[in-house]
Amino acid sequence: MRQQLHAEWTKLRTVTGTGRLLLGTVMLTLAVSAAAAAAVSCPPAGCDYDPAEISLFGVQLGQAVVAILAVLTISGEYGTGMIRTTLAAMPVRTTVLAAKAVVLTGLTLAAGTLAVLASVLAGRLILPGNGFTPAHGRPLLSLADGPMLRAAAGSVLYLVLIALLSLGIAAAVRDSAVAVGSVLGLLYLFPVVILMVSDQDWQRLLWRISPMNAGLAIQATTHLSSLPLSPWAGLGVLAVWAAAALLGGGLLLRLRDA
Amino acid sequence: MQATIDVNGLRKRFGPTVALDGMSFSVKPGQVTGFVGPNGAGKSTTMRVILGLDAVEEGSALIGGRPYRSLRHPLRHVGALLDAAALQPSRSARNHLLWLAHSQGLTAGRVDEVIEQAGLRQAARRKAGGFSLGMRQRLGIAAALLGDPPVIILDEPFNGLDPDGIVWMRELLAELAGQGRAVLVSSHLMSELQDVAGHVVVVGRGRVIADTGVAELLATVSGDRVTLRTTARQEAARVLEHAGAVVTAGADGRDALTVSGLTAEGVVTLLSRNTVPFSEVAAHRATLEEAYMELTRDAVEFRAAAGREAAR
């Protein structure tokens, strides 16, 4: 698999789009996180906000850029017909998908870590000005704090799983536009539907299977007991989605004519 | 590894359409094998099957006795150009070759060699998306040669080439075959393969119509003809037919005759000996295109007749 990895890495680093999308992930995540931190305020009487969720809010938009990058790594090849060159050079198709997944994981880990660290730093700088002060019983954000570290590291993993989910879906549907639409629909429609459903049991069920709602539970540091799933179990739901997408995509890639 | 392609009884449908209907032939080393047929005859599908891109319902395609998908470094065994436009437009030509090289465990040094060989040195660092079709064909050729493979497969390589490019392609094909490689070249125009191909596989509707050496094809299908101009047509015809030739009225003018079964020298000798006057004797060599038309006309007539039978 070493040579397949080398080839896929060379492919990704030799198109300008990759760098731009990774930069876009970092910038968008940071900008939206900082804006969220600037928008909330905590009066001396106290507030209900989770500072970790607020400082990492940008992940909810940064994930869209990650999804686009992931989709393009395979759908872009279907668009140009280059997939046939790829599969002629590397005929073991599941290995090709695995190589793409590994390279994508590495890039998303790097960009995601940068984005999350920058967001946490922005939150640490901005939130105290909005009333999140030790005097109000709200300590400064710190990665030395166990739940905060889990929220930050978990957010990076969340972005990686979003990339893998998107890659799997793109391998299955092949067309870039359809793939991006499917991924974003899957991510953003669940929260909307949950808001529209009035029945509490249905709400909790939908929340539990929603890749974005369940996955982002990893960012929660307050009111953990009221969540339908624990943070790690929530991220596990997203991991199941990603694994299923990769498995399905890989199977279709193997069976279909190129 | 043997430089051969063996295609055996391929069958494949796309929905109700039969794409391959028992396609069988083999390609031997040291010569260019032309793969000729009208559009939709199954040439590209066959090539995709050979390269492990498309699956078949029946039959097998082997490279040197092995299925393509079992090759560890396939580009070191088979170099192929299927679709010159199939590349990422924003990647440079050199980087396109570089990822291919890395996938085969080859170095950047080999990339620079094939860039030189394909005449792409000036353009190597430009984005491939801006290339003309001719340049993309050259890039595709560079990719096919990357692994120095014993088997080369090219789908319509003459498409989009300017006259210089066509000459270059013909010389390259001859050179590759001369080095002992097995070269399979598809085309829907037989004339493109004249003087290049040593062997032709003619296909139609997913099966092989003829699989023969070019020399044999030219000899059997058409034979050589002689065009004769004379004012004494009846006398000339009598003399020539007496010697065993077949004489027909020429298509172009009242004084022209077409003679088959005799060489031009033979015609001149006979007419001179019998003091028949003539103004012109021209030898007409059968072209590969004519041979191909004659072959496919038979196939078309056969199909038409079969259709009438079926309709009855």
Side-chain angles (χ1 to χ4, degrees), chain B residues 21-42:
Chain B
D21 184 15
M23 181 75 75
S24 300
F25 62 91
S26 52
V27 180
K28 291 178 186 60
Q31 65 181 3
V32 174
T33 299
F35 193 33
V36 191
N39 292 326

Side-chain angles (χ1 to χ4, degrees), chain A residues 10-93:
Chain A
T10 307
K11 269 191 209 170
L12 268 177
R13 77 175 168 79
T14 55
V15 282
T16 45
T18 309
R20 285 184 198 159
L21 287 169
L22 289 171
L23 188 69
T25 305
V26 176
M27 298 311 287
L28 190 65
T29 305
L30 170 61
V32 173
S33 296
V40 297
S41 63
C42 205
C47 59
D48 222 16
Y49 294 118
D50 183 335
E53 278 181 0
I54 288 167
S55 66
L56 294 169
F57 189 74
V59 169
Q60 298 195 24
L61 264 111
Q63 66 178 351
V65 188
V66 168
I68 291 170
L69 172 69
V71 162
L72 287 181
T73 55
I74 187 154
S75 285
E77 293 199 21
Y78 277 105
T80 57
M82 198 178 85
I83 191 74
R84 286 193 286 277
T85 312
T86 295
L87 296 181
M90 302 177 276
V92 184
R93 298 183 180 185

Side-chain angles (χ1 to χ4, degrees), chain A:
Chain A
M1 177 148 154
R2 207 170 54 83
Q3 281 158 359
Q4 284 89 341
L5 276 175
H6 196 181
E8 291 300 330
W9 164 240
T10 307
K11 269 191 209 170
L12 268 177
R13 77 175 168 79
T14 55
V15 282
T16 45
T18 309
R20 285 184 198 159
L21 287 169
L22 289 171
L23 188 69
T25 305
V26 176
M27 298 311 287
L28 190 65
T29 305
L30 170 61
V32 173
S33 296
V40 297
S41 63
C42 205
C47 59
D48 222 16
Y49 294 118
D50 183 335
E53 278 181 0
I54 288 167
S55 66
L56 294 169
F57 189 74
V59 169
Q60 298 195 24
L61 264 111
Q63 66 178 351
V65 188
V66 168
I68 291 170
L69 172 69
V71 162
L72 287 181
T73 55
I74 187 154
S75 285
E77 293 199 21
Y78 277 105
T80 57
M82 198 178 85
I83 191 74
R84 286 193 286 277
T85 312
T86 295
L87 296 181
M90 302 177 276
V92 184
R93 298 183 180 185
T94 42
T95 311
V96 172
L97 188 64
K100 283 183 187 293
V102 170
V103 173
L104 205 54
T105 298
L107 290 177
T108 313
L109 268 179
T113 303
L114 257 175
V116 164
L117 286 180
S119 296
V120 171
L121 185 65
R124 186 185 166 99
L125 294 174
I126 297 170
L127 285 177
N130 291 343
F132 289 80
T133 55
H136 297 157
R138 293 292 193 148
L140 287 178
L141 288 182
S142 165
L143 293 179
D145 173 37
M148 186 60 215
L149 180 63
R150 185 251 301 147
S155 293
V156 176
L157 291 181
Y158 174 87
L159 288 173
V160 169
L161 290 172
I162 291 293
L164 297 178
L165 169 69
S166 308
L167 179 68
I169 289 179
V173 305
R174 301 193 270 199
D175 181 77
S176 301
V178 177
V180 170
S182 310
V183 173
L184 297 187
L186 179 66
L187 292 179
Y188 294 120
L189 278 183
F190 262 104
V192 176
V193 172
I194 290 172
L195 282 179
M196 292 188 326
V197 172
S198 50
D199 186 84
Q200 286 250 326
D201 290 339
W202 274 102
Q203 268 191 353
R204 285 177 80 82
L205 175 70
L206 285 172
W207 195 99
R208 281 199 189 102
I209 60 169
S210 157
M212 179 164 150
N213 293 82
L216 285 176
I218 198 71
Q219 293 183 343
T221 57
T222 59
H223 306 297
L224 288 185
S225 55
S226 68
L227 288 175
L229 283 173
S230 75
W232 285 110
L235 197 64
V237 169
L238 177 59
V240 170
W241 274 99
L246 277 179
L247 218 65
L251 199 67
L252 285 172
L253 181 65
R254 223 181 115 102
L255 292 178
R256 282 192 301 219
D257 287 346

